Amino acid sequence: MVRLFTLFFFTLESEKKNKARGGCLLSIKTVDQMTKASPFLVSVLLFLLFQFINGEDPYRFFTWNVTYGDIYPLGVKQQGILINGQFPGPQIDSVTNDNLIINVFNSLDEPFLLSWDGIMQRRNSWQDGVFGTNCPIPPGGNFTYSLQVKDQIGSFFYFPSLAFHKAAGGYGGIKVASRSVIPVPFSPPAGDYTVLAGDWFNQNHTDLKAILDNGHDLPFPDGLLINGRGSNGFTFNVDQGKTYRFRVSNVGLTTSINFRIQGHKLILVEVEGTHSLQNTYDSIDIHLGQSYSILVTTDQPPKDYYVIVSTRFTTPVLTTTSALHYSNAVTGLDDTPPGGPTTEIDWSLNQARSLRRNLTASGPRPNPQGSYHYGLINTTRTIRVVNSAPVVGGKQRYAVNGVSFVSPDTPLKLADYFKISGVFSLGSIQDGPSGGVNLQTAVMPADFRGYVEVVFENPEDSVQSWHVDGHHFFVVGMDGGQWSEASRTGYNLRDTISRVTVQVYPKSWTAVYMPLDNVGMWNVRSENWARQYLGQQFYLRVYSPANSWRDEAPIPNNVILCGRAVGHQP
C-alpha cells in the first residue's frame, strides 16, 4: 500500500513537471503498473490525479476482463467472447470531449484487440485498435486504451478486430452525449435504448475462421440477434404517450438489415455523429457497420408491439423480433410480426438519398453543422475504390483496386514510426483499379489537410459497405451504373449527411468528399467481415512533414511492441 501511494505521488510530481513544460501527458504505463499493484484503488487514485491536473476534460475509467463463456444466442451452445461476463459487452456512456481510460485484461488463450467503430481518434491512431496500428494484447496481458471523444456526439460501437473474434461477440455500444451547454435539436427523450443487431452463425468463430482460411466463403447466417438474443428474447419497456430514443447499430458480419417497430413511425435524428433532418420513416435500412438514432413516440393503443429486424437483399429473408412493451398493456404480441422490404434495391437507394444534414443544429460545438461548406472546397485528388472477388491459387480472396491485403508481421504504424524497412511500401495500392490481382500489404499515401473525392465502385451483385477509420466524409452522390466525371453534376453539394460508413449498391457507385484532417495510419475496410478478413481493406497513411505534436500525439508510453518492432524504444 505504501509503495502504491508513493508511486501515485511520484506520478503527481511527474505530471506537474509535464504541465510546467507546456504539456499534460498521462503515463499509461504508470496506470498499468498501478492497476496490477492494486486494482481496487486505481480508479480512486486516477480520479485524484486528474483532478489535480487542472484544465483537462473529464475522465471516465473502465476496467474490462475479456473471457470466453458459454452463450446460447440462437438456442445452440457456443463459446462466446464476454466482457466482464457480459454479451454484449458493457455500454460506454460518455459526453463530448471526455477522455476514456479503458484497461483491458485479456483472459483468452489468444491475442486480442478492441477497435472503436466511429470514434475519430483525433491525432491518435495509436489507439485505433486494429492490427495495422496496434500490437495485440497477449494472453494473460493487459493494455490501457486512452481515447478522447474529441468534438464528437452520437451513436457508435466497439468490437474485437483480430482473427474472426467478431463472430464470437465481444462488442458493445458507445454513446457520446452532447455537453449540457450545447442545444440538441429535439426534446430530451423519456428513455434511451441501444440496439445492437445483426446476423449470427451457430458455428464457433474458430470454425468460421477455418472455413475462410481454407479458401471458402461463409455459409448463410443461421439467424439474427437483437442485443445478443434471438426472437422475443429482449423487451423494451415504455410508457404510453412518451418519446424514446433508439440507437441502432448493425454489428453483424455479412448482411444488411431493416429495422422497424410495428405500428410506430421512426423519426431519424442522428447518423453516426451528425444530426439529420428529422424525416419520418416506416422502416430504416442499416447496412453493415452503420449506426442510426431514431425517435419513437408511443402513441398507439396500450399493448405489446414487435420490434423487428430482418435481412435485406437475401434469399431467404431472416427475421428476428423483440417486444416493445407498454407499461399499461392490456394485450400481448400478435401472432405474426408484419413484413418489411426484402430485395428492393431502388427502395433502399431512394431512402439513402433522403438522408440530409440538419444545417441549423449544433454539432459537438455551439455552431451550426452547416457552417462547414464542404461543397465549395476544391478537391485535391480523386481516388476510385473498386472491390472484386478473385480466386487466387484455388482459394477465395477479396481485393481493392487489384490488391488483396496481406497482414504484415509488424503493425504498420510501428513500422512507420521506427522506420523499419520491408514491412510495407507506400503506393502499393493505386488510386484506381488495375489489372490482375496482387497479394500485398497495401498502404496508400495521403497528404495532411488534403481534400479528396473518393468514389466507391461496386461491379458485383452484392451490397458493399465501406468504413474509414479516423475520418468523417460527406456522401455527395450514389447511383446505379458506372461512375464517370459527368456523374458529378448530380452531386449534393449543400446538405448531404456526413458519416463514417457508407453502402454501395450492386453494380453501382457511391461518391464521398473527405477532408484528410487527421494524421495517422488509418484502416479503410469492407464492413463485411469475411471480405475484410480475406483482403478487402487497405491503409491510408495521412502524413504531415511538420512532425509536430500539434498534428499527432506522441507514441504512448505503454505501447505494446511485437514483430520487428521488438527491441525499439518508444
Side-chain angles (χ1 to χ4, degrees):
M1 182 69 68
V2 173
R3 291 183 61 191
L4 181 60
F5 276 96
T6 300
L7 178 61
F8 169 64
F9 286 112
F10 175 78
T11 303
L12 283 181
E13 291 302 314
S14 298
E15 297 301 332
K16 287 171 64 178
K17 293 175 182 177
N18 278 335
K19 188 178 180 184
R21 291 193 296 265
C24 190
L25 303 177
L26 170 65
S27 173
I28 298 301
K29 182 179 291 184
T30 301
V31 174
D32 284 340
Q33 293 169 349
M34 292 168 67
T35 301
K36 293 173 182 175
S38 178
F40 180 75
L41 291 176
V42 67
S43 294
V44 174
L45 297 181
L46 285 171
F47 175 79
L48 293 173
L49 171 62
F50 293 118
Q51 290 298 310
F52 183 83
I53 305 168
N54 296 321
E56 293 260 21
D57 289 304
Y59 281 74
R60 297 176 188 264
F61 302 95
F62 307 84
T63 300
W64 288 354
N65 186 30
V66 181
T67 62
Y68 290 125
D70 291 339
I71 58 174
Y72 302 81
L74 293 177
V76 176
K77 180 180 177 180
Q78 294 176 261
Q79 183 186 67
I81 293 178
L82 314 179
I83 299 179
N84 290 354
Q86 302 176 42
F87 167 61
Q91 175 160 301
I92 295 176
D93 291 321
S94 63
V95 177
T96 299
N97 293 343
D98 278 356
N99 294 281
L100 309 180
I101 310 300
I102 307 168
N103 195 5
V104 179
F105 288 84
N106 178 16
S107 296
L108 307 181
D109 58 2
E110 56 185 325
F112 184 78
L113 272 178
L114 283 173
S115 191
W116 320 91
D117 201 273
I119 301 302
M120 290 295 98
Q121 311 288 4
R122 297 289 183 193
R123 304 172 47 249
N124 202 13
S125 66
W126 299 109
Q127 306 293 332
D128 202 30
V130 291
F131 187 72
T133 57
N134 294 92
C135 291
I137 307 170
N142 77 297
F143 178 74
T144 302
Y145 291 90
S146 178
L147 320 176
Q148 186 180 25
V149 286
K150 178 68 174 172
D151 292 335
Q152 285 194 259
I153 58 167
S155 311
F156 310 100
F157 63 93
Y158 61 86
F159 67 96
S161 62
L162 283 187
F164 215 61
H165 290 158
K166 192 178 180 185
Y171 54 74
I174 302 174
K175 179 175 73 174
V176 186
S178 295
R179 290 179 291 156
S180 59
V181 297
I182 306 299
V184 175
F186 50 87
S187 299
D192 194 318
Y193 286 113
T194 292
V195 182
L196 303 173
D199 54 28
W200 190 261
F201 295 81
N202 281 331
Q203 292 170 274
N204 285 338
H205 73 282
T206 51
D207 296 330
L208 296 175
K209 179 177 177 294
I211 291 173
L212 297 174
D213 289 340
N214 289 328
H216 305 291
D217 205 350
L218 294 180
F220 192 71
D222 293 293
L224 299 173
L225 302 184
I226 297 175
N227 290 348
R229 302 178 186 179
S231 283
N232 300 328
F234 198 89
T235 299
F236 300 95
N237 294 303
V238 297
D239 295 327
Q240 189 179 29
K242 296 183 178 180
T243 298
Y244 295 83
R245 183 173 183 168
F246 287 78
R247 302 172 184 265
V248 190
S249 296
N250 184 343
V251 296
L253 298 176
T254 65
T255 313
S256 300
I257 59 174
N258 179 267
F259 176 85
R260 55 197 183 274
I261 298 179
Q262 179 188 13
H264 292 73
K265 297 295 185 180
L266 311 179
I267 300 177
L268 185 66
V269 294
E270 178 245 329
V271 179
E272 297 170 3
T274 300
H275 290 306
S276 64
L277 282 185
Q278 295 178 16
N279 295 333
T280 300
Y281 301 94
D282 293 323
S283 68
I284 292 181
D285 278 354
I286 306 174
H287 302 276
L288 288 165
Q290 294 183 341
S291 298
Y292 292 84
S293 276
I294 299 156
L295 295 183
V296 177
T297 299
T298 52
D299 54 3
Q300 298 301 302
K303 63 183 293 290
D304 288 352
Y305 295 88
Y306 283 107
V307 177
I308 309 161
V309 173
S310 58
T311 57
R312 291 287 271 124
F313 323 118
T314 67
T315 304
V317 175
L318 299 176
T319 301
T320 194
T321 59
S322 291
L324 185 76
H325 172 68
Y326 279 43
S327 59
N328 59 340
V330 294
T331 58
L333 293 168
D334 296 338
D335 291 338
T336 305
T342 55
T343 60
E344 304 91 342
I345 296 290
D346 288 344
W347 184 96
S348 186
L349 175 62
N350 289 333
Q351 183 181 85
R353 287 170 169 166
S354 74
L355 302 184
R356 291 289 188 270
R357 189 181 186 92
N358 187 337
L359 297 181
T360 62
S362 294
R365 291 183 294 251
N367 61 290
Q369 294 182 139
S371 63
Y372 185 78
H373 299 292
Y374 69 92
L376 301 180
I377 302 172
N378 292 328
T379 56
T380 56
R381 178 180 176 186
T382 295
I383 301 171
R384 296 172 57 204
V385 176
V386 182
N387 52 271
S388 59
V391 175
V392 180
K395 294 185 176 183
Q396 180 67 65
R397 296 287 302 181
Y398 296 99
V400 186
N401 291 357
V403 181
S404 187
F405 187 83
V406 177
S407 291
D409 59 8
T410 304
L412 305 173
K413 184 63 182 171
L414 292 178
D416 197 28
Y417 179 81
F418 291 122
K419 296 180 171 53
I420 302 171
S421 62
V423 176
F424 70 91
S425 297
L426 280 176
S428 46
I429 181 171
Q430 301 301 309
D431 284 10
S434 60
V437 179
N438 297 312
L439 302 180
Q440 293 190 48
T441 303
V443 180
M444 181 181 290
D447 293 330
F448 182 43
R449 296 199 176 98
Y451 191 66
V452 298
E453 175 188 44
V454 182
V455 183
F456 297 98
E457 301 180 46
N458 178 20
E460 299 183 61
D461 292 327
S462 58
V463 176
Q464 304 295 310
S465 187
W466 287 95
H467 177 90
V468 182
D469 281 351
H471 294 81
H472 272 97
F473 46 71
F474 299 88
V475 184
V476 293
M478 56 175 63
D479 206 349
Q482 190 169 5
W483 179 87
S484 69
E485 294 185 3
S487 303
R488 293 172 179 146
T489 60
Y491 283 2
N492 177 357
L493 299 180
R494 180 178 181 273
D495 66 347
T496 192
I497 206 74
S498 65
R499 60 188 314 166
V500 297
T501 309
V502 70
Q503 72 274 21
V504 192
Y505 293 100
K507 300 189 182 305
S508 300
W509 57 267
T510 296
V512 307
Y513 282 0
M514 186 167 69
L516 300 177
D517 56 0
N518 203 7
V519 172
M521 187 75 72
W522 302 108
N523 191 220
V524 181
R525 63 175 177 267
S526 171
E527 284 289 308
N528 180 313
W529 218 241
R531 298 182 75 107
Q532 178 270 352
Y533 182 80
L534 291 179
Q536 192 171 313
Q537 61 171 310
F538 64 96
Y539 281 81
L540 189 68
R541 179 183 182 258
V542 180
Y543 177 71
S544 170
N547 193 27
S548 168
W549 286 4
R550 289 176 298 182
D551 296 339
E552 184 174 29
I555 187 171
N557 290 336
N558 69 326
V559 65
I560 299 175
L561 301 180
C562 58
R564 291 184 241 181
V566 172
H568 288 76
Q569 294 298 317

